[in-house]
Amino acid sequence: MDDLRATFARFGALQPQSADAWQGPFPLPDVLAGFYAHVGPFGEVFNPAKGPCGITIPGLEVWIPPLQRLWAYQAGYRWNGNDGEPISDWPAQWLVIADRGADPLILDIDDGRVLFARHGAGHWDAGGFAADVPTLMAALAAAGSVYLEADEDLYSDDDDGGIRPVHREAALRAVAVVLGSTDEAELFLDAMQQSHAMRGWCTERFNPRVAWICFWTAASLR
């Protein structure tokens, strides 16, 4: 956990957060309590009324909220963000713990797996994505570190504007070490890096202020 915290510290401000910050109606799952207590993604505070903005993983554009915002973050998934009505096809045991352009990474509280789904299809079709939260976070950290070090060279200058192959290959090797398989690493990166509407917006989301703006834009798409 110390190694993971050291890596996450490169992505944004961290702060240990106790389970008291959790605002949900059921106990915070132990795996998340440990993650927020020891790693503690927090982010900068630009508006005290809104609190910390969370952190964004470079290159992957995955946003992780601070614990105090985690329950409110379920709006648009678990309940309708406009009228507060429950969304009928959202399983009670699913808890969104991160997202990529409003595509949720979901903790299945019953079995500890992390699922991934794409928004905008009219229904949620979530599939298994990582064995557990520690595995997910370690894989995100591995790829994010590679992309952070690439800095301004990360994206190509051609019309595609995607991540340069040399950096993707480096990220693939790093994630494969975590997941134990190049094939699994390929699937992981493919899911996290398929183009989406936010892509052009967020190539500069190393800046926490811009990450905050992108989060609110993504939330409006749910």
Side-chain angles (χ1 to χ4, degrees), residues 8 13 24 34 47 59 74 78 89 92 97 100 104 110 133 140 151 163 166 181 192 194 201-202 213 219-220 222:
F8 265 68
N47 183 339
Q74 307 309 303
R78 184 178 289 266
D89 67 344
I97 58 173
R100 183 197 62 88
D110 285 352
V133 171
L140 292 175
D151 199 18
I163 290 174
V166 64
S181 162
M192 292 290 94
Q194 287 187 10
W201 247 82
C202 297
I213 294 169
S220 70
R222 295 175 189 161

PDB file of all heavy atoms in Angstrom, residues 8 13 24 34 47 59 74 78 89 92 97 100 104 110 133 140 151 163 166 181 192 194 201-202 213 219-220 222:
ATOM      1  N   PHE A   8       0.450   7.260  -6.412  1.00  0.00           N
ATOM      2  CA  PHE A   8      -0.720   8.130  -6.504  1.00  0.00           C
ATOM      3  C   PHE A   8      -0.380   9.568  -6.132  1.00  0.00           C
ATOM      4  O   PHE A   8      -1.005  10.511  -6.637  1.00  0.00           O
ATOM      5  CB  PHE A   8      -1.842   7.601  -5.612  1.00  0.00           C
ATOM      6  CG  PHE A   8      -2.831   6.729  -6.334  1.00  0.00           C
ATOM      7  CD1 PHE A   8      -2.457   5.480  -6.824  1.00  0.00           C
ATOM      8  CD2 PHE A   8      -4.130   7.152  -6.544  1.00  0.00           C
ATOM      9  CE1 PHE A   8      -3.354   4.677  -7.497  1.00  0.00           C
ATOM     10  CE2 PHE A   8      -5.039   6.353  -7.227  1.00  0.00           C
ATOM     11  CZ  PHE A   8      -4.651   5.111  -7.706  1.00  0.00           C
ATOM     12  N   ALA A  13      -3.097  15.548  -4.972  1.00  0.00           N
ATOM     13  CA  ALA A  13      -2.995  15.628  -3.515  1.00  0.00           C
ATOM     14  C   ALA A  13      -3.681  14.432  -2.849  1.00  0.00           C
ATOM     15  O   ALA A  13      -4.793  14.051  -3.225  1.00  0.00           O
ATOM     16  CB  ALA A  13      -3.617  16.928  -3.020  1.00  0.00           C
ATOM     17  N   GLY A  24     -22.791   7.337   2.809  1.00  0.00           N
ATOM     18  CA  GLY A  24     -23.775   6.375   2.331  1.00  0.00           C
ATOM     19  C   GLY A  24     -24.609   5.773   3.443  1.00  0.00           C
ATOM     20  O   GLY A  24     -24.257   5.867   4.627  1.00  0.00           O
ATOM     21  N   GLY A  34      -9.892   0.820   3.650  1.00  0.00           N
ATOM     22  CA  GLY A  34      -8.446   0.702   3.657  1.00  0.00           C
ATOM     23  C   GLY A  34      -7.779   1.556   2.609  1.00  0.00           C
ATOM     24  O   GLY A  34      -6.749   2.196   2.862  1.00  0.00           O
ATOM     25  N   ASN A  47     -12.722  25.322  -4.352  1.00  0.00           N
ATOM     26  CA  ASN A  47     -13.928  25.947  -3.811  1.00  0.00           C
ATOM     27  C   ASN A  47     -14.260  25.257  -2.500  1.00  0.00           C
ATOM     28  O   ASN A  47     -14.725  24.118  -2.507  1.00  0.00           O
ATOM     29  CB  ASN A  47     -15.080  25.808  -4.810  1.00  0.00           C
ATOM     30  CG  ASN A  47     -16.351  26.502  -4.345  1.00  0.00           C
ATOM     31  OD1 ASN A  47     -16.539  26.767  -3.157  1.00  0.00           O
ATOM     32  ND2 ASN A  47     -17.233  26.792  -5.289  1.00  0.00           N
ATOM     33  N   GLY A  59      -3.303  10.208 -18.737  1.00  0.00           N
ATOM     34  CA  GLY A  59      -3.350   9.361 -19.924  1.00  0.00           C
ATOM     35  C   GLY A  59      -4.577   8.486 -20.007  1.00  0.00           C
ATOM     36  O   GLY A  59      -5.135   8.293 -21.088  1.00  0.00           O
ATOM     37  N   GLN A  74     -22.835   8.696  -6.819  1.00  0.00           N
ATOM     38  CA  GLN A  74     -23.690   7.640  -7.366  1.00  0.00           C
ATOM     39  C   GLN A  74     -24.871   8.214  -8.163  1.00  0.00           C
ATOM     40  O   GLN A  74     -25.577   7.475  -8.855  1.00  0.00           O
ATOM     41  CB  GLN A  74     -24.216   6.752  -6.234  1.00  0.00           C
ATOM     42  CG  GLN A  74     -23.152   6.189  -5.305  1.00  0.00           C
ATOM     43  CD  GLN A  74     -22.014   5.494  -6.025  1.00  0.00           C
ATOM     44  OE1 GLN A  74     -22.223   4.546  -6.788  1.00  0.00           O
ATOM     45  NE2 GLN A  74     -20.782   5.967  -5.782  1.00  0.00           N
ATOM     46  N   ARG A  78     -27.032   5.115  -9.588  1.00  0.00           N
ATOM     47  CA  ARG A  78     -27.945   4.468  -8.644  1.00  0.00           C
ATOM     48  C   ARG A  78     -29.307   5.169  -8.605  1.00  0.00           C
ATOM     49  O   ARG A  78     -30.340   4.537  -8.407  1.00  0.00           O
ATOM     50  CB  ARG A  78     -27.313   4.449  -7.248  1.00  0.00           C
ATOM     51  CG  ARG A  78     -28.111   3.730  -6.187  1.00  0.00           C
ATOM     52  CD  ARG A  78     -27.368   3.740  -4.864  1.00  0.00           C
ATOM     53  NE  ARG A  78     -26.218   2.876  -4.885  1.00  0.00           N
ATOM     54  CZ  ARG A  78     -26.212   1.600  -4.462  1.00  0.00           C
ATOM     55  NH1 ARG A  78     -27.304   1.064  -3.981  1.00  0.00           N
ATOM     56  NH2 ARG A  78     -25.103   0.883  -4.511  1.00  0.00           N
ATOM     57  N   ASP A  89     -32.689  -0.525 -12.947  1.00  0.00           N
ATOM     58  CA  ASP A  89     -31.805  -1.607 -13.387  1.00  0.00           C
ATOM     59  C   ASP A  89     -30.417  -1.532 -12.773  1.00  0.00           C
ATOM     60  O   ASP A  89     -29.497  -2.228 -13.217  1.00  0.00           O
ATOM     61  CB  ASP A  89     -31.709  -1.634 -14.922  1.00  0.00           C
ATOM     62  CG  ASP A  89     -31.009  -0.413 -15.511  1.00  0.00           C
ATOM     63  OD1 ASP A  89     -30.860   0.591 -14.782  1.00  0.00           O
ATOM     64  OD2 ASP A  89     -30.599  -0.465 -16.689  1.00  0.00           O
ATOM     65  N   ALA A  92     -28.325  -3.218  -6.310  1.00  0.00           N
ATOM     66  CA  ALA A  92     -28.063  -2.596  -5.015  1.00  0.00           C
ATOM     67  C   ALA A  92     -26.630  -2.795  -4.560  1.00  0.00           C
ATOM     68  O   ALA A  92     -26.095  -1.975  -3.797  1.00  0.00           O
ATOM     69  CB  ALA A  92     -29.030  -3.143  -3.969  1.00  0.00           C
ATOM     70  N   ILE A  97     -16.854   3.569  -8.103  1.00  0.00           N
ATOM     71  CA  ILE A  97     -15.683   4.040  -7.362  1.00  0.00           C
ATOM     72  C   ILE A  97     -14.767   4.920  -8.206  1.00  0.00           C
ATOM     73  O   ILE A  97     -13.850   5.561  -7.663  1.00  0.00           O
ATOM     74  CB  ILE A  97     -14.878   2.861  -6.774  1.00  0.00           C
ATOM     75  CG1 ILE A  97     -14.421   1.892  -7.882  1.00  0.00           C
ATOM     76  CG2 ILE A  97     -15.711   2.120  -5.731  1.00  0.00           C
ATOM     77  CD1 ILE A  97     -13.487   0.791  -7.382  1.00  0.00           C
ATOM     78  N   ARG A 100     -14.374   6.915 -16.222  1.00  0.00           N
ATOM     79  CA  ARG A 100     -13.615   7.446 -17.357  1.00  0.00           C
ATOM     80  C   ARG A 100     -14.629   8.049 -18.316  1.00  0.00           C
ATOM     81  O   ARG A 100     -15.331   7.352 -19.028  1.00  0.00           O
ATOM     82  CB  ARG A 100     -12.825   6.327 -18.041  1.00  0.00           C
ATOM     83  CG  ARG A 100     -11.933   6.805 -19.192  1.00  0.00           C
ATOM     84  CD  ARG A 100     -11.503   5.643 -20.081  1.00  0.00           C
ATOM     85  NE  ARG A 100     -12.624   4.991 -20.701  1.00  0.00           N
ATOM     86  CZ  ARG A 100     -13.162   5.359 -21.864  1.00  0.00           C
ATOM     87  NH1 ARG A 100     -12.693   6.409 -22.527  1.00  0.00           N
ATOM     88  NH2 ARG A 100     -14.194   4.705 -22.369  1.00  0.00           N
ATOM     89  N   PRO A 104     -18.542   4.014 -15.847  1.00  0.00           N
ATOM     90  CA  PRO A 104     -18.206   3.716 -14.462  1.00  0.00           C
ATOM     91  C   PRO A 104     -17.360   2.466 -14.239  1.00  0.00           C
ATOM     92  O   PRO A 104     -17.529   1.449 -14.916  1.00  0.00           O
ATOM     93  CB  PRO A 104     -19.587   3.528 -13.814  1.00  0.00           C
ATOM     94  CG  PRO A 104     -20.422   2.965 -14.928  1.00  0.00           C
ATOM     95  CD  PRO A 104     -19.937   3.665 -16.175  1.00  0.00           C
ATOM     96  N   ASP A 110     -20.781  -7.506  -3.176  1.00  0.00           N
ATOM     97  CA  ASP A 110     -21.017  -8.896  -2.787  1.00  0.00           C
ATOM     98  C   ASP A 110     -19.789  -9.781  -2.956  1.00  0.00           C
ATOM     99  O   ASP A 110     -19.515 -10.641  -2.121  1.00  0.00           O
ATOM    100  CB  ASP A 110     -22.175  -9.486  -3.596  1.00  0.00           C
ATOM    101  CG  ASP A 110     -23.530  -8.986  -3.130  1.00  0.00           C
ATOM    102  OD1 ASP A 110     -23.583  -8.301  -2.084  1.00  0.00           O
ATOM    103  OD2 ASP A 110     -24.537  -9.280  -3.803  1.00  0.00           O
ATOM    104  N   VAL A 133     -10.363  -4.235  -5.855  1.00  0.00           N
ATOM    105  CA  VAL A 133      -9.980  -2.822  -5.871  1.00  0.00           C
ATOM    106  C   VAL A 133      -8.460  -2.639  -5.849  1.00  0.00           C
ATOM    107  O   VAL A 133      -7.931  -1.831  -6.623  1.00  0.00           O
ATOM    108  CB  VAL A 133     -10.648  -2.063  -4.703  1.00  0.00           C
ATOM    109  CG1 VAL A 133     -10.083  -0.642  -4.583  1.00  0.00           C
ATOM    110  CG2 VAL A 133     -12.157  -2.012  -4.907  1.00  0.00           C
ATOM    111  N   LEU A 140      -4.018   0.925 -12.622  1.00  0.00           N
ATOM    112  CA  LEU A 140      -4.148   2.343 -12.978  1.00  0.00           C
ATOM    113  C   LEU A 140      -2.864   3.100 -12.672  1.00  0.00           C
ATOM    114  O   LEU A 140      -2.407   3.927 -13.469  1.00  0.00           O
ATOM    115  CB  LEU A 140      -5.313   2.975 -12.212  1.00  0.00           C
ATOM    116  CG  LEU A 140      -6.726   2.513 -12.564  1.00  0.00           C
ATOM    117  CD1 LEU A 140      -7.735   3.159 -11.620  1.00  0.00           C
ATOM    118  CD2 LEU A 140      -7.078   2.827 -14.013  1.00  0.00           C
ATOM    119  N   ASP A 151       4.986  12.972 -20.378  1.00  0.00           N
ATOM    120  CA  ASP A 151       4.756  14.415 -20.362  1.00  0.00           C
ATOM    121  C   ASP A 151       4.185  14.888 -21.715  1.00  0.00           C
ATOM    122  O   ASP A 151       3.259  14.281 -22.228  1.00  0.00           O
ATOM    123  CB  ASP A 151       6.052  15.128 -20.003  1.00  0.00           C
ATOM    124  CG  ASP A 151       5.829  16.564 -19.518  1.00  0.00           C
ATOM    125  OD1 ASP A 151       4.688  16.883 -19.138  1.00  0.00           O
ATOM    126  OD2 ASP A 151       6.778  17.358 -19.540  1.00  0.00           O
ATOM    127  N   ILE A 163      -2.375   8.253 -28.066  1.00  0.00           N
ATOM    128  CA  ILE A 163      -1.125   8.041 -27.338  1.00  0.00           C
ATOM    129  C   ILE A 163      -0.102   7.398 -28.270  1.00  0.00           C
ATOM    130  O   ILE A 163      -0.418   6.473 -29.021  1.00  0.00           O
ATOM    131  CB  ILE A 163      -1.376   7.163 -26.095  1.00  0.00           C
ATOM    132  CG1 ILE A 163      -2.187   7.964 -25.068  1.00  0.00           C
ATOM    133  CG2 ILE A 163      -0.078   6.652 -25.483  1.00  0.00           C
ATOM    134  CD1 ILE A 163      -2.634   7.179 -23.865  1.00  0.00           C
ATOM    135  N   VAL A 166       4.985   4.040 -28.604  1.00  0.00           N
ATOM    136  CA  VAL A 166       6.089   3.731 -27.705  1.00  0.00           C
ATOM    137  C   VAL A 166       5.645   3.839 -26.243  1.00  0.00           C
ATOM    138  O   VAL A 166       6.057   3.037 -25.395  1.00  0.00           O
ATOM    139  CB  VAL A 166       7.303   4.647 -27.986  1.00  0.00           C
ATOM    140  CG1 VAL A 166       6.977   6.117 -27.711  1.00  0.00           C
ATOM    141  CG2 VAL A 166       8.509   4.197 -27.162  1.00  0.00           C
ATOM    142  N   SER A 181      -0.355 -10.890 -17.090  1.00  0.00           N
ATOM    143  CA  SER A 181      -0.603 -11.350 -18.450  1.00  0.00           C
ATOM    144  C   SER A 181      -0.630 -10.172 -19.400  1.00  0.00           C
ATOM    145  O   SER A 181      -1.295  -9.160 -19.123  1.00  0.00           O
ATOM    146  CB  SER A 181      -1.949 -12.095 -18.511  1.00  0.00           C
ATOM    147  OG  SER A 181      -2.435 -12.202 -19.828  1.00  0.00           O
ATOM    148  N   MET A 192      -9.780   1.272 -21.307  1.00  0.00           N
ATOM    149  CA  MET A 192      -9.554   2.589 -20.724  1.00  0.00           C
ATOM    150  C   MET A 192      -9.223   3.661 -21.754  1.00  0.00           C
ATOM    151  O   MET A 192      -9.289   4.850 -21.447  1.00  0.00           O
ATOM    152  CB  MET A 192      -8.413   2.524 -19.704  1.00  0.00           C
ATOM    153  CG  MET A 192      -8.714   1.735 -18.446  1.00  0.00           C
ATOM    154  SD  MET A 192      -9.930   2.539 -17.359  1.00  0.00           S
ATOM    155  CE  MET A 192     -11.462   1.771 -17.892  1.00  0.00           C
ATOM    156  N   GLN A 194     -10.281   3.670 -25.301  1.00  0.00           N
ATOM    157  CA  GLN A 194     -11.097   3.848 -26.492  1.00  0.00           C
ATOM    158  C   GLN A 194     -11.560   5.290 -26.547  1.00  0.00           C
ATOM    159  O   GLN A 194     -11.853   5.906 -25.529  1.00  0.00           O
ATOM    160  CB  GLN A 194     -12.294   2.896 -26.471  1.00  0.00           C
ATOM    161  CG  GLN A 194     -11.892   1.465 -26.737  1.00  0.00           C
ATOM    162  CD  GLN A 194     -13.099   0.556 -26.888  1.00  0.00           C
ATOM    163  OE1 GLN A 194     -14.218   1.025 -26.972  1.00  0.00           O
ATOM    164  NE2 GLN A 194     -12.851  -0.731 -26.919  1.00  0.00           N
ATOM    165  N   TRP A 201     -11.048  17.090 -25.009  1.00  0.00           N
ATOM    166  CA  TRP A 201     -11.076  18.003 -23.875  1.00  0.00           C
ATOM    167  C   TRP A 201      -9.924  17.793 -22.911  1.00  0.00           C
ATOM    168  O   TRP A 201      -9.411  18.730 -22.322  1.00  0.00           O
ATOM    169  CB  TRP A 201     -12.364  17.697 -23.105  1.00  0.00           C
ATOM    170  CG  TRP A 201     -13.367  18.766 -23.114  1.00  0.00           C
ATOM    171  CD1 TRP A 201     -14.275  19.039 -24.084  1.00  0.00           C
ATOM    172  CD2 TRP A 201     -13.599  19.692 -22.066  1.00  0.00           C
ATOM    173  NE1 TRP A 201     -15.054  20.075 -23.698  1.00  0.00           N
ATOM    174  CE2 TRP A 201     -14.669  20.492 -22.471  1.00  0.00           C
ATOM    175  CE3 TRP A 201     -13.011  19.921 -20.826  1.00  0.00           C
ATOM    176  CZ2 TRP A 201     -15.163  21.509 -21.678  1.00  0.00           C
ATOM    177  CZ3 TRP A 201     -13.506  20.929 -20.040  1.00  0.00           C
ATOM    178  CH2 TRP A 201     -14.565  21.715 -20.465  1.00  0.00           C
ATOM    179  N   CYS A 202      -9.593  16.512 -22.713  1.00  0.00           N
ATOM    180  CA  CYS A 202      -8.894  16.175 -21.471  1.00  0.00           C
ATOM    181  C   CYS A 202      -7.437  15.790 -21.639  1.00  0.00           C
ATOM    182  O   CYS A 202      -6.855  15.184 -20.746  1.00  0.00           O
ATOM    183  CB  CYS A 202      -9.653  15.059 -20.760  1.00  0.00           C
ATOM    184  SG  CYS A 202     -11.307  15.564 -20.270  1.00  0.00           S
ATOM    185  N   ILE A 213     -13.054  20.445 -13.880  1.00  0.00           N
ATOM    186  CA  ILE A 213     -13.974  20.876 -14.922  1.00  0.00           C
ATOM    187  C   ILE A 213     -14.442  19.677 -15.736  1.00  0.00           C
ATOM    188  O   ILE A 213     -15.624  19.531 -16.031  1.00  0.00           O
ATOM    189  CB  ILE A 213     -13.299  21.922 -15.841  1.00  0.00           C
ATOM    190  CG1 ILE A 213     -13.006  23.206 -15.048  1.00  0.00           C
ATOM    191  CG2 ILE A 213     -14.176  22.229 -17.049  1.00  0.00           C
ATOM    192  CD1 ILE A 213     -12.122  24.185 -15.784  1.00  0.00           C
ATOM    193  N   ALA A 219     -20.095  14.347 -15.697  1.00  0.00           N
ATOM    194  CA  ALA A 219     -21.285  14.074 -14.881  1.00  0.00           C
ATOM    195  C   ALA A 219     -22.553  14.510 -15.609  1.00  0.00           C
ATOM    196  O   ALA A 219     -23.605  13.873 -15.478  1.00  0.00           O
ATOM    197  CB  ALA A 219     -21.178  14.790 -13.544  1.00  0.00           C
ATOM    198  N   SER A 220     -22.460  15.555 -16.393  1.00  0.00           N
ATOM    199  CA  SER A 220     -23.644  16.043 -17.095  1.00  0.00           C
ATOM    200  C   SER A 220     -24.066  15.109 -18.213  1.00  0.00           C
ATOM    201  O   SER A 220     -25.181  15.184 -18.721  1.00  0.00           O
ATOM    202  CB  SER A 220     -23.372  17.433 -17.673  1.00  0.00           C
ATOM    203  OG  SER A 220     -22.453  17.371 -18.747  1.00  0.00           O
ATOM    204  N   ARG A 222     -24.233  11.786 -17.843  1.00  0.00           N
ATOM    205  CA  ARG A 222     -24.820  10.569 -17.322  1.00  0.00           C
ATOM    206  C   ARG A 222     -26.329  10.550 -17.526  1.00  0.00           C
ATOM    207  O   ARG A 222     -26.979  11.560 -17.433  1.00  0.00           O
ATOM    208  CB  ARG A 222     -24.522  10.420 -15.819  1.00  0.00           C
ATOM    209  CG  ARG A 222     -23.037  10.240 -15.555  1.00  0.00           C
ATOM    210  CD  ARG A 222     -22.779  10.220 -14.059  1.00  0.00           C
ATOM    211  NE  ARG A 222     -21.350  10.268 -13.819  1.00  0.00           N
ATOM    212  CZ  ARG A 222     -20.817  10.617 -12.667  1.00  0.00           C
ATOM    213  NH1 ARG A 222     -21.577  10.964 -11.659  1.00  0.00           N
ATOM    214  NH2 ARG A 222     -19.537  10.611 -12.504  1.00  0.00           N
TER     215      ARG A 222
END
